[in-house]
Amino acid sequence: MGRFLVQRLVHLVWVLLAVSIFVFLLIHLSGDPIHLLTPLDAKPEDVERVRRLYGLDQPIPVQYLRFLRNALRGDLGESFRYQRPAFELVMQRLPATALLALVTLGLTIVVGIPVGLWLGARAGHAADWVISLVTFVFISLPSFWLGVLLILLFADRLRVLPASGFESPVYLVLPCLTLSVYTTGLITRLVRADVLEVLRQDFIRTARAKGVGERMVLARHALRNALISTVTVLGLQLGNLLGGSVVVESVFAWPGVGWLMLQGIQTRDLPLVRAVVLVVGSVFVLINLVVDVLYLYLDPRIRYDHTR
Amino acid sequence: MKRQGHDRDANGYRYTRRDLLQRTAALAATGVVLDRWGARALVLAAPGDRPQPVGNLLIVQGVDAESLDPHVTTSGASKGMMWAIYDKLMERSPEMKIIPWLATSWRVLNDTTWELKLRDNVFFHNGEKFGAEHVRDTIARFKHPGLRNVYAGQLRPVRDVEVVNPLTVRVHTEGPFALLAEVLSIYCEILPKAITGGEVDPTRRAIGTGPYRFVEWNPGSRMVLDFAERPHFSGQPKVRRLVWRPVPEAATRLVELKTGAAHLITPVDPIQIPELEATKNVDVIAFRQLSSQIVVLNSLKVRQFQDARVRQALNHATDVDTLIRTVMRGAAYRLNSAFGPGIPGHDEGLRPYAYEPDRARQLLSEAGFRDGFDVTLFSPEGRYLNDRLASEAIAAMWTRVGVRTRVQVMDWSPFVQGVLGKTHDAFFFQQVGVLLDATVSINFDSDRKGAAWQGYHNEEANRLIQDAIKTLDATRRNDMYKRLNQIVYRESPWVFLWNQQGVYAKQKRVKGWTPHVDGIIRLGDINLG
Amino acid sequence: MITPARPRPRRRRPGQFHAGLGIVCGVLLIAVLAPHLSPHGYADQDLLRSLQPPAWVKGGDWVYPLGTDRLGRDLLSRLMHGARVSIAVALLSVGLGGGLGTVLGLSAGYFGRWLDRIISRLIDVQLSFPPVFIAIAVMAALGQSLIKLIVVLALVTWVQYARIARANTMSMREREFVLAARALGADESRVLLRHVLPSILPPLLVVAAINMSSVILAEAALSFLGLGIQPPTPAWGSMVSEGRSVQSLAWWNTVFPGMAIAILVIGANLLGDGLQRER
């Protein structure tokens, strides 16, 4: 276990390095950032002076090395636009995104697993057909469209929920609902499938033959398998949630890191984008690490190999 | 079903209708309504009979402030927020006339000296009393090369600021600097010693002399301001708390206004106007913006454009009225020349180029291009309202008279590089004359070569432009700009299109506020009636 | 973007596969024939008819069956042309990503040693990137273009194929018929092409079908954010975005493009599901 952890942490360093280079190239390859940092009616000498102050006149490799040196000291640079440490800006907005993701995941687990279990036990019944159809549609809906429709319905027509921002917990409802439709549909279907598979396996039949309570059998094995699948998929879904959150944050003006990154890219705020991608990337890797550990714990049959 | 409790501040403080009614009654009883604008002397109400500010006002804009440091902010949205906290030496009325603000009067002593008299009894939010030293220190900071201030060059002619007495300063300049008042009415917000001395970081705390005091700023989420305890010289603010929120989607802003979660929103997409007008409790305010929409013709790149007749032909070939009616859906005002109303040099007497495609063909023929020629019209994407659509329509119109035009749409950054590098044949553009003179006219000067200058050369124009900024007499200066306008109108290095309509939408109960034609929100007497 | 964690139960529902195939092929057909089928050009404006409702609502007519957008452009025609973008991106990204992933995974699994190490490392590193997040970052920085979009989506998804291809190739490598072929002196490429590839293809096709729905949703999201293709070519995602300013007045601008996306994704999902069950 210890060796495994060390391996993953080394991996994290590799990833962060790759990500930082990637972001650097990205911003610089897309044209001179100075034009988006300064308005057109600024005098040329002011533009040049500001360019030098931002350090954008140095050759790219030099800029990158300077960044690396600072990063190792914990300084991820200062946002061009906000003139505050980029790391601080990201950490300030991270909780909003994290909250969104966590509540979505919570909703997914609380609704998806029980419904999936219930459906699996009643496979073939009318309720199963209907709900399966519903979940199928759920995983096919574009999140931004759903968000727009929900705003139209609940905020505009019915006036019962707020349309944007994050002023109090009730503002969480629509964005989380939007995001959790997809994940809940996914998990419900997955759990249902797992339950069905478990019901088929030999040892269940043996257990039944032995007269062990069916309920208990179902509960232990199905739940265990369901959890494994859920953990795997949710870990993978985290990537989707982070990407999905960019869209949803934009639609709902949710003050999280997704929207921050989008703004940063559009204004070529290099330090900010770098900081967002690095932090989000690290979080992502760390969460995957946790998922891997959970996985090992839940199912010792799975042997860990290099590509999981 | 009306939802009560829209009046809620960032901390969830709830405000009932009853409180509002009581306060409004009290207000009406005292009967004091101060007009902030205009050059009339402003009278302070005696303490004790001043009504208490009430209510939370929520303003939703499309973007967030860039920074709390006013000398670094560039966007109109940021300026609006900053000017609630900070004051400048002069201000602008809604018609953009310069009015006294922190400076009560100013005059020219000689060619290189201005004298400004400062307002007494003005205090910063941290208790410092405003005086001449603050002006000196703030201007020094504004011009500091280490500050990321892209407008520092505006005050370059200022050599130093002399403190004559606590309420008088003399500004010494290199040569005559005619536009000092213009510049100081837009730039250089006055800072306290706490900031200029380095004790307080202006990107974290804002301390000014304005009617509102900084409470907090969550970038991307909200900025909260409370009314300043000390009365402001322009009349105490009527609102207790101001909250600014950025919402990037026009549709969402609309919903916020309709549900009452926002009291004032900007910008409003013109296509939403009918829906807003049909909504109860909502007012739509449309005004003629200052910025000019034009097509710039690059005579460095396209030799045909060196002939004034070709440029005039293109003006005649463009059916601007139809473009305004269809592409802009009526939300624009025809420009008759380079300078629209509100800009010095504007001449009502100039008739806009009539749409006469036959005359256009005739002019082209006279210039020797009867068979026409090929040109590419460049347009940014989504930068200006309907930029691409307008460009495509214009291209079709030009093609009809023989100037075969194709449209090339670009992202903003490469587009700007093309403008500065003078590589676009012709481009759809907007000229913003914030200072209302020098900023725009420099694009006609072949010596100084402004950002949008693309080869136009006229000796007299150069002379007028360079002399005007040294002409301290405002009347003579305006006459020079008028003359410049007439020259540019005749020689048309641009195709003159329109001033866009600016649109705000507010709840009916928001009173005491008029928009400024430069599109920046100055709060004035704003209150929730 | 999921990969199947476990084999699905054996319940047969062949109807799903056919239904999915039908939908996808239907959209493909519409996309290919769009210039001929669509009643109007996708860029034809008629500003006097702007925001006209669908034909069955008061104020609409059958000249513009699904209504018009703010510039008076026919929604149905734009939907048809928008299908071209969605299908092109779906098929080409999946093809490109799948091809790339298969080749790399195959090579890694078959040849092993340093090639495997490099490719595995690459896979690992990329798996640590949240995919749609990165796609958004790249497209926002590089600007709009159909080609860039396809390439970016392919580069973000190839790892899924590579992993499966690699794992399956490694297990194939030791199978009798492969060993036999090599013993008989057949050269490597022959073995790969004729024996290994056909065997690993089925699970890869399943991944492709599932991936297709993710790619379609990703393209729609990118277009919605204004990061997809260049206008005036319509894309369903950007049509939803354009419709937002008038969503209260003219709901059809928001609803129909979204429905189109959902239908195509349902088709792709049916295809994926059906492929799994048929195994």
Side-chain angles (χ1 to χ4, degrees):
Chain A
M1 183 68 114
R3 195 182 112 105
F4 162 64
L5 273 174
V6 166
Q7 215 174 21
R8 301 310 287 164
L9 283 172
V10 165
H11 174 70
L12 171 68
V13 172
W14 273 111
V15 170
L16 291 182
L17 210 62
V19 166
S20 64
I21 297 179
F22 164 72
V23 173
F24 219 91
L25 286 177
L26 202 63
I27 300 281
H28 280 275
L29 280 180
S30 55
D32 193 348
I34 201 71
H35 291 301
L36 284 163
L37 293 168
T38 54
L40 253 176
D41 57 343
K43 299 189 199 257
E45 56 266 23
D46 282 323
V47 173
E48 281 315 303
R49 184 174 54 83
V50 169
R51 185 205 292 275
R52 256 176 292 123
L53 282 173
Y54 282 142
L56 289 173
D57 54 328
Q58 304 285 336
I60 292 182
V62 172
Q63 290 186 44
Y64 181 69
L65 286 172
R66 195 141 45 109
F67 156 72
L68 262 188
R69 201 187 53 211
N70 288 339
L72 290 172
R73 271 188 278 142
D75 169 18
L76 287 182
E78 206 178 71
S79 157
F80 287 161
R81 187 168 181 257
Y82 291 106
Q83 307 222 328
R84 290 190 186 186
F87 183 69
E88 181 192 307
L89 283 168
V90 174
M91 294 313 281
Q92 198 177 38
R93 303 269 283 248
L94 195 59
T97 302
L99 189 63
L100 201 60
L102 283 174
V103 173
T104 304
L105 282 182
L107 200 62
T108 306
I109 292 175
V110 160
V111 173
I113 295 185
V115 173
L117 288 174
W118 185 79
L119 282 182
R122 276 161 189 63
H125 282 216
D128 178 35
W129 272 93
V130 168
I131 300 190
S132 288
L133 191 65
V134 167
T135 56
F136 193 76
V137 170
F138 275 12
I139 62 174
S140 310
L141 294 175
S143 59
F144 58 89
W145 188 55
L146 186 62
V148 166
L149 291 179
L150 287 177
I151 291 181
L152 192 59
L153 181 61
F154 289 105
D156 196 359
R157 291 278 147 82
L158 294 180
R159 306 273 170 102
V160 291
L161 286 172
S164 72
F166 184 24
E167 309 285 315
S168 71
V170 72
Y171 286 77
L172 267 173
V173 175
L174 284 183
C176 285
L177 201 60
T178 308
L179 276 176
S180 50
V181 157
Y182 181 82
T183 43
T184 308
L186 202 63
I187 295 298
T188 307
R189 296 175 68 76
L190 207 65
V191 168
R192 176 185 173 281
D194 280 335
V195 168
L196 288 177
E197 187 196 324
V198 161
L199 283 176
R200 252 180 202 91
Q201 289 189 354
D202 285 339
F203 70 92
I204 296 284
R205 280 195 229 123
T206 322
R208 277 196 202 154
K210 281 193 197 162
V212 177
E214 187 175 318
R215 270 256 170 107
M216 226 174 66
V217 153
L218 186 72
R220 266 180 52 213
H221 294 283
L223 194 58
R224 218 258 208 85
N225 285 346
L227 276 178
I228 295 172
S229 301
T230 306
V231 162
T232 319
V233 169
L234 284 183
L236 290 165
Q237 276 310 299
L238 206 60
N240 262 3
L241 270 180
L242 285 173
S245 86
V246 177
V247 177
V248 164
E249 284 182 24
S250 186
V251 169
F252 288 96
W254 186 261
V257 290
W259 184 22
L260 187 66
M261 180 185 81
L262 199 58
Q263 279 181 325
I265 294 174
Q266 281 163 349
T267 55
R268 297 293 188 273
D269 191 345
L270 175 56
L272 188 62
V273 176
R274 231 173 17 216
V276 172
V277 179
L278 278 172
V279 170
V280 169
S282 320
V283 168
F284 193 60
V285 170
L286 283 172
I287 303 236
N288 277 332
L289 183 66
V290 168
V291 166
D292 282 342
V293 169
L294 267 177
Y295 208 76
L296 273 180
Y297 182 68
L298 281 174
D299 192 350
R301 286 181 300 158
I302 310 285
R303 216 175 18 142
Y304 178 80
D305 104 270
H306 192 234
T307 54
R308 254 179 278 151
Chain B
M1 180 196 63
K2 261 294 166 74
R3 194 161 57 110
Q4 218 198 20
H6 286 299
D7 318 304
R8 203 196 294 244
D9 66 15
N11 297 320
Y13 168 67
R14 210 174 246 250
Y15 215 78
T16 64
R17 295 258 136 100
R18 210 153 37 95
D19 293 4
L20 264 179
L21 281 172
Q22 280 178 346
R23 306 276 169 99
T24 316
L27 248 181
T30 59
V32 174
V33 175
L34 294 171
D35 183 334
R36 272 183 149 199
W37 305 114
R40 277 181 276 151
L42 300 163
V43 178
L44 280 177
D49 62 351
R50 215 179 310 112
Q52 274 298 301
V54 295
N56 305 315
L57 184 71
L58 185 54
I59 302 180
V60 166
Q61 293 187 127
V63 291
D64 195 12
E66 298 138 56
S67 172
L68 278 182
D69 183 347
H71 291 178
V72 162
T73 57
T74 58
S75 70
S78 299
K79 294 283 180 198
M81 295 187 232
M82 291 296 103
W83 293 345
I85 306 169
Y86 290 99
D87 288 319
K88 302 177 296 270
L89 286 167
M90 290 84 167
E91 237 320 341
R92 300 265 181 171
S93 71
E95 298 77 36
M96 302 307 279
K97 297 263 174 305
I98 301 178
I99 55 176
W101 206 244
L102 280 181
T104 51
S105 69
W106 52 93
R107 65 197 174 112
V108 171
L109 287 185
N110 58 53
D111 259 6
T112 57
T113 313
W114 285 73
E115 185 177 86
L116 283 72
K117 291 259 186 264
L118 306 175
R119 192 179 298 271
D120 199 2
N121 279 321
V122 176
F123 292 85
F124 286 90
H125 301 139
N126 65 350
E128 287 181 38
K129 183 165 195 275
F130 164 68
E133 293 188 351
H134 293 104
V135 176
R136 180 197 60 199
D137 295 341
T138 304
I139 291 183
R141 181 190 190 257
F142 186 83
K143 289 164 51 100
H144 195 283
L147 186 67
R148 287 173 193 178
N149 175 9
V150 294
Y151 291 117
Q154 296 292 349
L155 283 182
R156 197 158 28 87
V158 171
R159 202 161 30 93
D160 63 75
V161 178
E162 177 196 336
V163 173
V164 174
N165 61 54
L167 291 180
T168 313
V169 289
R170 295 218 179 109
V171 178
H172 299 283
T173 60
E174 311 271 357
F177 184 25
L179 299 172
L180 182 68
E182 272 81 353
V183 171
L184 291 176
S185 69
I186 304 283
Y187 301 104
C188 204
E189 296 81 353
I190 301 299
L191 306 172
K193 291 228 174 87
I195 289 180
T196 52
E199 181 195 316
V200 168
D201 181 356
T203 62
R204 293 203 182 277
R205 258 183 76 197
I207 304 173
T209 55
Y212 294 89
R213 160 175 72 81
F214 174 71
V215 174
E216 67 164 355
W217 181 40
N218 285 324
S221 186
R222 78 180 83 89
M223 173 154 351
V224 181
L225 309 177
D226 272 349
F227 76 103
E229 296 294 336
R230 246 183 262 269
H232 193 254
F233 56 84
S234 59
Q236 191 178 29
K238 307 276 189 343
V239 173
R240 189 184 189 84
R241 172 162 277 206
L242 264 184
V243 179
W244 302 77
R245 273 186 54 209
V247 174
E249 294 255 345
T252 316
R253 287 198 291 274
L254 187 71
V255 174
E256 300 280 28
L257 183 71
K258 279 166 66 175
T259 58
H263 298 114
L264 172 65
I265 61 171
T266 181
V268 173
D269 190 340
I271 201 154
Q272 295 171 319
I273 292 179
E275 185 183 342
L276 283 168
E277 282 174 345
T279 312
K280 293 195 311 183
N281 305 328
V282 161
D283 276 335
V284 175
I285 307 181
F287 61 95
R288 180 175 186 152
Q289 283 187 18
L290 271 185
S291 44
S292 311
Q293 211 68 43
I294 55 186
V295 176
V296 180
L297 303 173
N298 186 347
S299 52
L300 291 172
K301 185 117 189 294
V302 180
R303 69 175 172 86
Q304 289 89 342
F305 287 157
Q306 285 165 16
D307 190 327
R309 286 171 296 191
V310 174
R311 304 196 298 261
Q312 288 164 353
L314 287 178
N315 264 293
H316 281 299
T318 313
D319 188 356
V320 181
D321 289 322
T322 301
L323 284 172
I324 291 178
R325 209 182 56 243
T326 56
V327 173
M328 299 301 289
R329 307 179 67 88
Y333 308 80
R334 182 81 194 263
L335 259 183
N336 67 350
S337 60
F339 304 144
I343 297 188
H346 172 66
D347 189 346
E348 279 296 335
L350 292 171
R351 278 183 48 237
Y353 278 82
Y355 173 55
E356 287 170 354
D358 289 326
R359 176 126 180 79
R361 284 189 204 99
Q362 188 194 357
L363 282 166
L364 284 169
S365 194
E366 279 173 29
F369 304 113
R370 197 216 309 263
D371 297 328
F373 53 94
D374 296 274
V375 128
T376 307
L377 177 61
F378 288 79
S379 167
E381 171 68 60
R383 178 79 182 187
Y384 311 122
L385 192 61
N386 298 325
D387 41 20
R388 187 177 36 91
L389 285 169
S391 302
E392 286 168 4
I394 292 171
M397 289 170 182
W398 288 4
T399 305
R400 248 176 264 140
V401 299
V403 179
R404 296 172 291 276
T405 315
R406 106 188 155 84
V407 175
Q408 170 79 35
V409 180
M410 285 187 150
D411 272 349
W412 183 245
S413 192
F415 180 81
V416 168
Q417 281 173 330
V419 169
L420 296 173
K422 329 250 176 261
T423 56
H424 296 324
D425 287 353
F427 53 96
F428 186 80
F429 205 50
Q430 190 184 78
Q431 269 298 272
V432 184
V434 170
L435 283 186
L436 308 187
D437 13 30
T439 324
V440 177
S441 57
I442 202 169
N443 295 305
F444 302 123
D445 189 341
S446 57
D447 286 334
R448 309 263 300 286
K449 299 188 186 148
W453 177 81
Q454 310 276 317
Y456 174 63
H457 176 75
N458 180 305
E459 282 299 335
E460 193 185 349
N462 289 358
R463 224 182 355 99
L464 283 167
I465 294 167
Q466 287 158 26
D467 288 345
I469 58 174
K470 299 199 204 103
T471 307
L472 296 166
D473 180 327
T475 322
R476 271 190 55 216
R477 194 168 65 237
N478 283 346
D479 284 337
M480 293 167 93
Y481 282 125
K482 245 193 175 156
R483 174 101 193 90
L484 173 68
N485 193 13
Q486 284 157 1
I487 296 175
V488 169
Y489 166 79
R490 214 180 45 240
E491 309 218 318
S492 47
W494 296 347
V495 174
F496 310 113
L497 298 175
W498 55 74
N499 291 120
Q500 250 172 251
Q501 193 180 60
V503 185
Y504 291 92
K506 66 171 182 66
Q507 302 251 313
K508 276 199 161 63
R509 54 194 284 240
V510 173
K511 303 254 192 301
W513 176 74
T514 26
H516 282 64
V517 293
D518 62 356
I520 301 180
I521 295 181
R522 294 169 182 78
L523 294 166
D525 261 347
I526 200 167
N527 64 80
L528 292 166
Chain C
M1 304 197 188
I2 57 163
T3 55
R6 296 158 171 284
R8 291 284 180 258
R10 289 275 149 218
R11 304 261 304 288
R12 308 221 89 239
R13 283 213 198 132
Q16 280 197 342
F17 175 72
H18 294 303
L21 194 62
I23 293 178
V24 175
C25 287
V27 175
L28 181 60
L29 208 62
I30 292 178
V32 166
L33 293 178
H36 306 285
L37 277 180
S38 62
H40 304 263
Y42 66 79
D44 292 349
Q45 298 171 29
D46 186 355
L47 288 158
L48 298 168
R49 305 269 208 160
S50 103
L51 298 182
Q52 196 171 297
W56 58 89
V57 175
K58 186 167 71 106
D61 64 59
W62 287 98
V63 178
Y64 301 98
L66 292 180
T68 60
D69 69 2
R70 57 189 291 177
L71 292 175
R73 296 181 292 200
D74 177 37
L75 206 59
L76 181 62
S77 308
R78 285 178 67 77
L79 281 178
M80 287 181 168
H81 283 270
R84 312 187 101 189
V85 173
S86 299
I87 279 287
V89 170
L91 294 177
L92 291 176
S93 299
V94 168
L96 193 60
L100 185 66
T102 307
V103 165
L104 287 178
L106 194 63
S107 318
Y110 195 76
F111 295 113
R113 283 168 299 142
W114 57 267
L115 191 61
D116 182 21
R117 259 218 283 273
I118 294 181
I119 293 182
S120 295
R121 174 62 51 124
L122 207 57
I123 292 177
D124 248 356
V125 167
Q126 186 158 340
L127 271 179
S128 313
F129 285 37
V132 183
F133 199 72
I134 295 298
I136 289 175
V138 174
M139 287 309 289
L142 291 183
Q144 305 163 310
S145 132
L146 184 62
I147 308 280
K148 283 182 204 160
L149 184 60
I150 292 175
V151 170
V152 166
L153 286 175
L155 286 177
V156 158
T157 55
W158 69 268
V159 270
Q160 299 168 37
Y161 305 95
R163 267 189 9 183
I164 307 267
R166 177 182 175 278
N168 286 353
T169 306
M170 274 166 46
S171 72
M172 282 291 140
R173 203 170 45 181
E174 310 305 321
R175 292 281 195 91
E176 290 98 20
F177 65 95
V178 173
L179 292 172
R182 291 167 83 183
L184 283 176
D187 76 304
E188 304 285 15
S189 57
R190 220 161 156 206
V191 175
L192 275 174
L193 281 176
R194 303 258 330 251
H195 299 283
V196 181
L197 189 60
S199 317
I200 65 169
L201 222 41
L204 287 175
L205 284 177
V206 177
V207 175
I210 293 178
N211 198 16
M212 189 153 69
S213 65
S214 310
V215 162
I216 296 167
L217 285 175
E219 178 269 316
L222 287 169
S223 301
F224 177 77
L225 290 175
L227 302 173
I229 48 95
Q230 260 236 13
T233 320
W236 291 339
S238 49
M239 285 168 72
V240 173
S241 174
E242 279 168 19
R244 286 207 70 198
S245 334
V246 291
Q247 65 187 30
S248 295
L249 278 181
W251 55 266
W252 50 96
N253 282 301
T254 330
V255 168
F256 289 134
M259 271 175 64
I261 300 170
I263 290 174
L264 183 59
V265 173
I266 286 176
N269 277 331
L270 282 171
L271 200 60
D273 248 13
L275 267 179
Q276 288 181 7
R277 289 179 209 257
E278 297 242 325
R279 226 162 11 113

